[in-house]
Amino acid sequence: MSISSEHKPLGKQVTGSLHTLSPIVELNVGGEMYTTTLSTLKKHPGSKLAEMFTGQPKLRTDSEGRFFIDRPGTYFKYILEYLRSNQVPTQCIQDVYKEALFYDIEPLIKQLEDSPQIFGELVARKQFLARVPNYSENIELMIRIARAEAVASRRSSVIVCVVRTEEDASRCQDALNSLDMDKKSVVKFGPWKAAPSISDLLDCIQMDVEAKGYKVSFQPHIAEKGFRFKSHDFFYKFLFTWW
């Protein structure tokens, strides 16, 4: 009986015990080829990587018989170097950290979290943003507004109100009401109880929007009417460029 191409497996599946494997192992990680030893891959027994090569795994192989792992191969070399020599990478820290989390290599995860890049992101920046009410939801709202206004346009803009204190929020209320009457959408951030300034939050907003693949910049929003104070103290225009 013939088998249609729809049901042919992409590669061989290894279901037998790995006790009979050669101590030299060839890997295909996202299209990047590596050769290492079984003992290196199993160096940290509690890791997901070690479990892939322990007991009765179900591993796919490519057409050349190399074990296939569907992850970014570029950063696996740093994982492998750590397993071989305990050398903590100094390049591509954020990406290697993601891979260390995936492979669940706890010693590497902890050492990377002590690096300035990861420490700054996890402990400083993210802890600050956690104190800004609805920060993630507001980022998504900004993107939805920008996309809705992008029809047949090269750029679209979103007005953002950033208030650090409750007093600032009260001062902005009349301006927010005025913008609402003019049927202009405004995304409000704050207030928050943390040291970073309005400028710091604006940088975070730009960073996180750009991390989602958008090209964005910001500038003070100059009000046309109805503001009893300098609008650029709290109001900013984020410009999304589409092409």
Side-chain angles (χ1 to χ4, degrees):
M1 180 178 64
S2 63
I3 301 177
S4 69
S5 59
E6 293 180 341
H7 302 292
K8 287 182 180 180
L10 295 176
K12 296 178 181 178
Q13 191 166 351
V14 180
T15 56
S17 172
L18 284 174
H19 293 303
T20 58
L21 266 185
S22 166
I24 307 300
V25 180
E26 293 189 353
L27 302 171
N28 177 345
V29 184
E32 299 280 342
M33 310 308 166
Y34 294 94
T35 301
T36 186
T37 65
L38 194 58
S39 60
T40 296
L41 296 171
K42 297 170 67 174
K43 184 174 182 179
H44 297 285
S47 69
K48 183 176 180 179
L49 183 61
E51 290 176 1
M52 291 178 181
F53 296 90
T54 302
Q56 301 287 334
K58 295 182 179 179
L59 299 173
R60 291 283 181 184
T61 60
D62 65 14
S63 60
E64 299 297 323
R66 293 172 292 230
F67 292 109
F68 179 73
I69 301 176
D70 193 13
R71 295 293 296 180
T74 304
Y75 311 114
F76 189 74
K77 64 182 178 183
Y78 300 108
I79 300 292
L80 207 52
E81 187 60 34
Y82 176 78
L83 295 174
R84 287 169 173 161
S85 61
N86 289 325
Q87 180 177 328
V88 179
T90 57
Q91 303 177 49
C92 308
I93 300 297
Q94 297 281 357
D95 295 302
V96 176
Y97 179 66
K98 293 177 184 177
E99 296 309 295
L101 289 172
F102 173 79
Y103 294 114
D104 196 21
I105 304 173
E106 282 294 337
L108 178 56
I109 292 171
K110 290 179 180 178
Q111 290 183 70
L112 288 173
E113 286 180 347
D114 284 337
S115 69
Q117 297 95 322
I118 303 298
F119 180 86
E121 175 68 13
L122 293 180
V123 177
R125 198 177 85 91
K126 284 196 173 178
Q127 288 298 317
F128 159 53
L129 295 178
R131 301 184 183 188
V132 180
N134 304 314
Y135 177 81
S136 296
E137 293 84 349
N138 283 342
I139 294 291
E140 296 299 329
L141 178 58
M142 284 179 62
I143 292 171
R144 288 200 301 272
I145 293 172
R147 291 174 68 96
E149 295 182 359
V151 179
S153 300
R154 183 172 185 180
R155 297 180 181 87
S156 55
S157 64
V158 179
I159 300 174
V160 168
C161 174
V162 183
V163 291
R164 184 175 177 182
T165 67
E166 293 289 351
E167 180 182 355
D168 291 341
S170 298
R171 292 177 63 199
C172 287
Q173 195 56 54
D174 286 346
L176 288 170
N177 292 339
S178 176
L179 288 167
D180 185 59
M181 290 180 63
D182 291 339
K183 296 183 178 180
K184 293 184 178 179
S185 299
V186 181
V187 181
K188 179 184 173 186
F189 288 84
W192 63 86
K193 295 181 179 180
S197 65
I198 287 177
S199 176
D200 294 326
L201 183 64
L202 291 169
D203 288 339
C204 287
I205 294 171
Q206 181 176 17
M207 185 186 307
D208 289 328
V209 172
E210 288 181 341
K212 294 179 180 293
Y214 297 92
K215 184 177 180 180
V216 67
S217 61
F218 65 87
Q219 61 190 39
H221 173 65
I222 307 301
E224 297 175 0
K225 60 179 181 177
F227 284 50
R228 295 180 300 173
F229 55 88
K230 293 180 180 179
S231 62
H232 55 74
D233 288 343
F234 307 107
F235 289 84
Y236 298 83
K237 181 182 293 185
F238 276 77
L239 299 172
F240 288 71
T241 301
W242 302 104
W243 51 275

